[in-house]
Amino acid sequence: MEYKNLLVEINNGIAVLKINRPKALNALNSETLIEINDAGRALQKNKDVWVIVVTGEGDKAFIAGADIVEMKDLNAVEGMLFSQRGHDAFATLENMNKPVIAAVNGFALGGGFEVALACDIIYASDKAKIGFPEATLGIFPGFGGTQRAAKLVGLAKAKELIFTGKMIGAAEAYEMGLVNKVVPHEELMKEVMALAEKIKSNGPVAIGLAKECINKSLSLDMDSALMLEAKDFGLCFGTKDQKEGMTAFVEKRKATFKGE
């Protein structure tokens, strides 16, 4: 897979999807959003990929935001279409049945942090800066930020971040519950890859089904959510992975999963 604005590397079941516009601090233009969507779909279909890591090229920015140069002259309809491109791309990351980890290695502002919020787990460098500065530009987060941030940290905290446009450090983001873990900058990818390896060692079909249940829990009533859980739990028992996992436990050995 080759892209103009992305680097995609696959090694031993783990794919690293890197936004590669360092001169623009990895800002998201329409072309990049389309490429993220395409790459996500391709990784979803790739049976050799079990975990995806998303990060930014360079040492300054994860993704500094959406491309203001492209946005500044858009009209209302064009703005809506630009937003939809972001929705489509990030929904691909959010809804694929494989875990996606964000390695936030620097500035993650506006659309940049919206990418991270679409991932399942967020690890941040201690040098990372996070925020939604859109209101300072006369707009607001339009790539899912108003929805995902509110569901993650609650309405009041999401409103404070979005209304003020303030930028916060990684430690404060962790305290708010916006990121899972803060690690020393130089250790970020090592920590993220260790996490990816740990996840990869478990049953991938079960993880994909669990992800579906967790993601849908916020949009379903309890009875419907529990019905989905029972259905997906049952589906696990039709897999070779479940037989291997439980047989390995009984035989006191490490399970070898194949995603089947």
Side-chain angles (χ1 to χ4, degrees):
M1 294 177 283
E2 294 185 2
Y3 299 99
K4 181 178 178 181
N5 303 298
L6 303 180
L7 296 174
V8 181
E9 298 178 359
I10 300 171
N11 184 31
N12 196 28
I14 300 172
V16 177
L17 190 162
K18 185 178 291 185
I19 313 303
N20 185 34
R21 299 187 72 214
K23 292 182 180 179
L25 295 180
N26 301 323
L28 300 169
N29 57 10
S30 290
E31 185 177 53
T32 305
L33 292 171
I34 292 168
E35 289 186 0
I36 292 172
N37 196 2
D38 183 80
R41 291 175 183 274
L43 292 171
Q44 165 66 20
K45 294 177 182 177
N46 190 331
K47 294 182 179 180
D48 294 326
V49 172
W50 289 16
V51 183
I52 296 100
V53 173
V54 179
T55 192
E57 176 63 25
D59 203 44
K60 292 184 178 180
F62 173 69
I63 301 164
D67 194 324
I68 297 172
V69 173
E70 178 179 355
M71 288 193 296
K72 68 182 182 68
D73 294 323
L74 298 180
N75 60 34
V77 172
E78 291 167 339
M80 181 181 68
L81 293 174
F82 187 62
S83 173
Q84 191 60 57
R85 288 188 196 100
H87 290 169
D88 292 344
F90 303 168
T92 296
L93 298 178
E94 185 175 50
N95 295 326
M96 67 169 61
N97 64 359
K98 302 176 183 184
V100 184
I101 306 167
V104 177
N105 57 312
F107 290 106
L109 304 175
F113 196 56
E114 288 173 293
V115 173
L117 289 174
C119 298
D120 300 303
I121 299 170
I122 304 173
Y123 274 26
S125 156
D126 58 2
K127 294 183 180 180
K129 299 293 183 181
I130 291 162
F132 294 114
E134 285 91 340
T136 70
L137 303 172
I139 58 174
F140 64 86
F143 292 162
T146 62
Q147 305 305 302
R148 294 188 179 100
K151 290 175 180 177
L152 191 60
V153 299
L155 296 179
K157 285 293 185 183
K159 288 174 182 177
E160 181 181 0
L161 284 172
I162 292 169
F163 294 175
T164 63
K166 69 178 181 178
M167 185 166 58
I168 62 175
E172 185 175 354
Y174 173 77
E175 291 172 1
M176 291 175 62
L178 284 167
V179 305
N180 293 80
K181 188 175 183 179
V182 179
V183 300
H185 183 74
E186 62 276 6
E187 298 291 322
L188 177 63
M189 288 307 296
K190 179 182 177 181
E191 290 267 358
V192 167
M193 296 307 288
L195 174 65
E197 288 286 354
K198 173 60 179 173
I199 293 171
K200 195 190 75 170
S201 70
N202 296 322
V205 177
I207 288 172
L209 291 169
K211 177 175 175 174
E212 178 188 35
C213 290
I214 296 167
N215 282 356
K216 290 185 177 179
S217 66
L218 294 176
S219 60
L220 295 174
D221 62 79
M222 181 60 78
D223 287 343
S224 298
L226 292 176
M227 286 179 63
L228 174 65
E229 182 183 78
K231 176 184 74 68
D232 284 357
F233 181 74
L235 290 176
C236 290
F237 289 83
T239 68
K240 294 179 181 179
D241 279 355
Q242 176 267 330
K243 301 298 185 287
E244 164 63 12
M246 293 191 177
T247 300
F249 177 84
V250 172
E251 295 177 353
K252 296 181 171 55
R253 61 175 174 83
K254 183 177 176 59
T256 301
F257 298 110
K258 297 182 179 179
E260 299 175 350

